Amino acid sequence: MIAAIENIGRFTLDTSLSLRNTLTFAIQVIIRLLNLRTYNSASRMVFINQFYFTSVQILPLFLFVAVIFGSLVNGMAFQVIKNLGLYDYLGRLLMGFVVTEVAPFVTVLLIALRSSSAINAEIAVMKVNRELNMLDTFNIDPINYLFVPRIINGMLSMVLLSSLFSLVVLAIGLFVSSAVFGTSVDAYNDTVLQAASLLDIVIVLFKCATFGFFITLIPIRLGLSASMELTSIPVVVLGGMVKVFLSIVVIEVLSLIIRFI
Amino acid sequence: MQSFIAAHKSRLGLVSLEAPLIANLAVWSNIALIRQYHENMPWHEARAFTEALLHRLGMASIMDKRNPALTSEERFCAMLLRASLVRDAIVVFDKPFGILTNLRDGCFIMENLRKLDDLIAETHIFDYNWEKERYGGWDGTES
Amino acid sequence: MVQKVEFKVGLFIIVATLLIMASIGYVAYKKGFFSKVYTYTLSSNTAENLTEGMPVVFWGFNIGQVSSMELTERGVLIHIKIPERNNRVIRANSKFVLDKPLFGTSRIIVTTDNLNDPPLSPKVFPEITVSNDINELIKKVQPIAEKLDRIGASVATLTANLADPQGEVTRILKNVETVTAHFSKKESLLEMAVGTKESVKSIQDILSNVNGLTVRMDGILKRVDTLAGKSDEEIYGRDGVFPLVRNILRDLLAKLAKIDATLDNINQISVEAVDSTKDLKILRNSLDETVTAIGTLVDQLDRIIPFQDKPGIKLP
């Protein structure tokens, strides 16, 4: 009984400490993000390479997923809408559900699965190989050189890829809408535009950027917590990915609360 | 050695197994990193500069190789070049024969140091006493 | 290699950013973000149900929105913003109605009788009138609800009657069963045939009782008749109250028809029983009356029920 209570207490303390460390690290990174002196030729190169691996290389697969997903979601949803006679809600479905919820979620999952895990392992390996020590020896700040470019890449990739996903789904929506309802381009545009709100778009873009920030920040922080042993790498990658998914859920919930307040 | 490193940290160019090359970067990126980071040198300029230096050491072929693909001499040269790119570099060798495991004497080190003479302000070698003979008639304090 | 990567990254960022900017720009343009906006001021004696951002609607189209509100000495002033392309519908004679639908958000509906009238002066503050869907709906619903209430009470009476073992319908059935039971007994028939007064009187009593009960049943069904067209599945459905009553009455009719046939037979076989002939005639007349009365009721029910072939739930 006492052991169980101790376990709960330990878990709570560990969680709050981890949360505090993550937030402290996040504040540190944000301060550097806003400092122009952070940016130099070396960090630009890291950013370009990271962005290439995160967004450009994944683009064909990503567009393929967007097309398949868009066709399925649009096909099913439009059929239901048609059966219920709720054509007026078509725009709200597309803008309020697909663009603001589904697109960021699918994108964040894809990026987290591909890039967050890679960043987590990469930082852990650098720590074990003493490459981070080397940076310190040569007066190279790892936050400026390694972390900030990766985090900017995460934020930008999320915003761009999620927006592309939305555009692809909306474009497919036009085809499906004309096939199911026989609507014209203008009618479809009007329906979608009526449901579109600039504030919602801003909130979605901000949500995407927040997703991107945390799905790169958390793997970096967990990667840094690796010990000098190779065996610690899988452990920190595992922990990092679990925390990445938790952060996705938390951000999703918070964004929903903000939208519906 | 630690106190020496701490005292000269701003100009320190360390050649040591404790300061390895970054494994997922090409040799030229590892070397150019110093100028790119500290002097914001554009990448193409830094690459050309690095290429010229590698030519000077006769190692142009390793430009795009990565750390695991290098021989011990190539790795040593890359580390030396990286250290010498620090402004007014105080190059510190930490047990260089730990890197150059198959060399019998310090001629190779000396030869490369001469080729980079214009870039280096000072050179310090820290090694075990029993390795002293491998450096021949070099002057130096014991540590 | 680096150059190639740089090119691809640059191209992707430029194309994606342009696409996104174009989309957002298009939405902003269509929403009138870049067009000239006219501001008009409306007045109201209350700010209740008015919110900033509330849409202004003309012929079902959103033409603008409430930008701000302020409380002044002359009441509440509501500032609405109308983009230039929609400004032509705001005329001097335009009327502004605050519409509070039962479902969805409130909105200000603009009605303009003549679009060629001079434009509304920004110095004039037209008053907003209130159209409250909910209150109007409640007014409409109230009599319907009262009717429904009465229907409910009547249905409860009917169903209670059907379920109650002492109820009128049950008693009719019991009496009819007694009659048929009497007739099915050979002794009773023989007594009737020989003109035993007690037997004849017994049947006559039963039938007059049935007749009385049928009259009361008629009363119940008259009340039911007033509900026609206003009830639901429970009344008209396959297992509803009306079909049930109808079936009971049909059953009753069939049984009385059997009595009718029996009486005919008795008449034929007991021609010599002169004493009983008079009583049998009275009995026969009573039976005819009862059969006719119940038959009429069944017809009334049939007249009501066929209109409910497709029972549905009716919402106000």
Side-chain angles (χ1 to χ4, degrees):
Chain A
M1 181 65 186
I2 291 171
I5 295 170
E6 280 175 352
N7 281 339
I8 293 170
R10 193 180 305 121
F11 174 77
T12 311
L13 287 174
D14 288 349
T15 309
S16 39
L17 185 68
S18 169
L19 191 66
R20 197 189 73 182
N21 289 341
T22 304
L23 291 177
T24 312
F25 187 56
I27 291 167
Q28 260 183 301
V29 170
I30 289 169
I31 292 168
R32 298 294 180 88
L33 272 172
L34 300 173
N35 188 353
L36 279 179
R37 289 171 64 188
T38 302
Y39 306 99
N40 52 51
S41 170
S43 57
R44 268 198 301 277
M45 253 185 77
V46 173
F47 166 76
I48 287 167
N49 283 324
Q50 283 294 316
F51 191 84
Y52 179 74
F53 292 123
T54 307
S55 294
V56 181
Q57 266 194 344
I58 203 180
L59 199 56
L61 171 73
F62 186 79
L63 290 176
F64 178 73
V65 169
V67 169
I68 297 295
F69 193 88
S71 309
L72 284 175
V73 166
N74 281 322
M76 287 189 292
F78 284 24
Q79 205 57 50
V80 172
I81 278 181
K82 188 186 179 187
N83 291 341
L84 295 175
L86 296 171
Y87 179 72
D88 290 348
Y89 289 85
L90 173 66
R92 287 192 202 175
L93 176 86
L94 285 171
M95 290 305 295
F97 179 62
V98 176
V99 172
T100 58
E101 299 301 332
V102 174
F105 193 69
V106 172
T107 312
V108 79
L109 281 185
L110 273 172
I111 293 185
L113 286 170
R114 194 170 180 271
S115 298
S116 298
S117 51
I119 289 171
N120 202 334
E122 190 184 10
I123 300 295
V125 168
M126 288 183 85
K127 173 95 183 280
V128 173
N129 282 347
R130 298 187 188 85
E131 290 171 14
L132 295 180
N133 285 350
M134 179 279 290
L135 293 177
D136 182 52
T137 305
F138 284 96
N139 299 311
I140 294 171
D141 190 330
I143 295 183
N144 292 3
Y145 172 61
L146 290 177
F147 307 157
V148 168
R150 279 172 172 76
I151 287 168
I152 292 175
N153 153 63
M155 292 164 76
L156 191 65
S157 294
M158 263 306 299
V159 169
L160 293 183
L161 288 179
S162 178
S163 305
L164 274 185
F165 190 97
S166 301
L167 289 174
V168 169
V169 173
L170 287 176
I172 291 171
L174 174 62
F175 290 114
V176 178
S177 175
S178 61
V180 176
F181 296 110
T183 49
S184 65
V185 177
D186 286 343
Y188 178 81
N189 270 359
D190 283 344
T191 312
V192 173
L193 277 171
Q194 197 128 19
S197 141
L198 281 177
L199 182 67
D200 275 355
I201 293 173
V202 170
I203 290 175
V204 170
L205 292 179
F206 185 74
K207 179 168 100 171
C208 289
T210 313
F211 268 142
F213 182 84
F214 281 103
I215 65 165
T216 42
L217 181 107
I218 291 170
I220 288 170
R221 201 186 78 70
L222 269 289
L224 286 174
S225 68
S227 67
M228 302 308 280
E229 292 159 2
L230 281 171
T231 48
S232 69
I233 295 173
V235 177
V236 295
V237 171
L238 187 81
M241 291 314 287
V242 170
K243 284 184 176 154
V244 161
F245 281 106
L246 282 176
S247 74
I248 291 171
V249 173
V250 170
I251 294 166
E252 189 64 51
V253 170
L254 286 177
S255 77
L256 281 175
I257 291 171
I258 290 168
R259 271 189 68 205
F260 291 105
I261 280 177
Chain B
M1 188 184 95
Q2 295 305 325
S3 57
F4 182 86
I5 287 173
H8 299 89
K9 198 161 186 309
S10 61
R11 291 166 59 197
L12 182 72
L14 184 65
V15 180
S16 163
L17 282 176
E18 294 298 312
L21 298 172
I22 294 174
N24 65 355
L25 288 183
V27 165
W28 80 264
S29 294
N30 267 290
I31 298 167
L33 169 65
I34 309 298
R35 290 286 166 97
Q36 280 186 283
Y37 185 85
H38 290 294
E39 296 171 24
N40 199 15
M41 184 184 277
W43 74 266
H44 45 86
E45 200 178 308
R47 184 183 158 92
F49 183 60
T50 308
E51 194 174 10
L53 290 174
L54 280 169
H55 264 296
R56 216 194 276 189
L57 298 185
M59 295 271 179
S61 60
I62 67 167
M63 272 277 286
D64 295 313
K65 283 186 181 174
R66 294 197 176 189
N67 189 25
L70 300 176
T71 63
S72 55
E73 286 86 356
E74 288 169 344
R75 189 171 295 117
F76 176 83
C77 287
M79 285 176 163
L80 176 60
L81 268 179
R82 184 179 64 184
S84 62
L85 285 189
V86 175
R87 279 279 165 211
D88 300 324
I90 298 174
V91 176
V92 172
F93 292 98
D94 176 25
K95 300 184 278 294
F97 288 109
I99 305 166
L100 297 160
T101 47
N102 52 351
L103 289 188
R104 300 177 65 182
D105 56 41
C107 293
F108 179 78
I109 301 170
M110 207 47 210
E111 190 183 324
N112 283 303
L113 273 173
R114 275 197 206 98
K115 287 178 186 170
L116 301 172
D117 194 36
D118 56 321
L119 296 170
I120 299 168
E122 291 175 34
T123 304
H124 299 267
I125 298 175
F126 291 84
D127 209 333
Y128 299 110
N129 267 332
W130 62 80
E131 297 280 15
K132 196 175 175 184
E133 284 181 8
R134 294 174 81 171
Y135 295 100
W138 290 19
D139 296 329
T141 51
E142 291 181 4
S143 62
Chain C
M1 172 65 187
V2 178
Q3 229 161 359
K4 204 173 157 190
V5 170
E6 271 188 339
F7 176 76
K8 284 182 181 175
V9 168
L11 186 71
F12 175 70
I13 290 177
I14 289 168
V15 171
T17 308
L18 281 178
L19 268 174
I20 294 161
M21 296 302 284
S23 307
I24 293 174
Y26 179 70
V27 172
Y29 171 73
K30 285 284 182 181
K31 291 259 171 194
F33 203 73
F34 303 120
S35 64
K36 190 180 173 188
V37 175
Y38 290 86
T39 304
Y40 297 100
T41 306
L42 311 176
S43 64
S44 172
N45 52 8
T46 173
E48 205 176 338
N49 292 307
L50 287 162
T51 51
E52 286 181 9
M54 177 187 279
V56 179
V57 177
F58 180 81
W59 287 354
F61 287 92
N62 279 1
I63 58 163
Q65 63 175 24
V66 174
S67 60
S68 62
M69 294 190 293
E70 57 178 311
L71 185 62
T72 63
E73 289 165 357
R74 50 186 297 189
V76 180
L77 294 183
I78 301 113
H79 304 288
I80 59 168
K81 286 196 167 171
I82 310 290
E84 189 174 23
R85 68 176 188 283
N86 296 328
N87 192 45
R88 65 192 172 84
V89 303
I90 308 291
R91 303 281 101 179
N93 69 349
S94 293
K95 291 183 181 64
F96 299 86
V97 180
L98 172 63
D99 181 41
K100 290 186 279 183
L102 184 58
F103 300 109
T105 51
S106 301
R107 60 216 180 137
I108 293 173
I109 295 180
V110 183
T111 47
T112 305
D113 295 333
N114 188 356
L115 290 173
N116 295 322
D117 278 0
L120 177 66
S121 163
K123 290 174 186 169
V124 177
F125 302 164
E127 193 171 349
I128 295 181
T129 52
V130 179
S131 154
N132 194 335
D133 267 16
I134 296 168
N135 289 341
E136 282 177 12
L137 197 72
I138 288 169
K139 274 181 201 164
K140 283 179 192 168
V141 162
Q142 226 151 15
I144 297 169
E146 281 166 11
K147 277 182 190 171
L148 277 175
D149 198 29
R150 289 202 300 275
I151 289 168
S154 301
V155 169
T157 312
L158 260 179
T159 48
N161 226 317
L162 288 171
D164 184 5
Q166 300 303 317
E168 287 143 329
V169 175
T170 315
R171 274 157 59 195
I172 287 170
L173 285 177
K174 276 189 179 169
N175 283 326
V176 171
E177 275 170 16
T178 315
V179 170
T180 50
H182 274 288
F183 274 85
S184 64
K185 285 182 181 171
K186 197 180 173 185
E187 293 84 356
S188 179
L189 283 172
L190 281 173
E191 280 172 359
M192 282 171 63
V194 293
T196 309
K197 281 186 179 178
E198 287 79 9
S199 298
V200 175
K201 192 173 183 301
S202 164
I203 292 171
Q204 200 169 13
D205 286 345
I206 290 162
L207 286 175
S208 64
N209 195 16
V210 167
N211 200 17
L213 291 173
T214 313
V215 170
R216 284 205 288 276
M217 184 71 177
D218 189 18
I220 295 167
L221 290 168
K222 270 180 186 167
R223 272 195 293 158
V224 172
D225 200 13
T226 62
L227 311 178
K230 298 185 183 71
S231 300
D232 57 11
E233 176 77 9
E234 285 182 19
I235 296 175
Y236 295 110
R238 190 182 292 275
D239 301 319
V241 174
F242 278 0
L244 199 62
V245 172
R246 184 185 60 177
N247 290 342
I248 290 165
L249 292 176
R250 275 189 187 285
D251 195 31
L252 185 61
L253 210 53
K255 282 174 178 168
L256 291 175
K258 278 181 190 170
I259 297 173
D260 191 22
T262 313
L263 278 176
D264 280 345
N265 286 336
I266 291 168
N267 265 336
Q268 282 174 8
I269 61 169
S270 60
V271 280
E272 293 93 359
V274 182
D275 289 342
S276 62
T277 309
K278 190 183 167 188
D279 293 324
L280 280 171
K281 276 183 180 171
I282 295 165
L283 180 62
R284 178 59 193 261
N285 288 340
S286 300
L287 188 64
D288 282 346
E289 279 171 24
T290 309
V291 168
T292 311
I294 296 173
T296 311
L297 287 180
V298 172
D299 286 343
Q300 283 172 355
L301 275 174
D302 280 341
R303 186 165 46 78
I304 296 164
I305 295 167
F307 291 106
Q308 304 298 326
D309 283 339
K310 289 179 182 173
I313 298 168
K314 291 172 187 169
L315 289 174

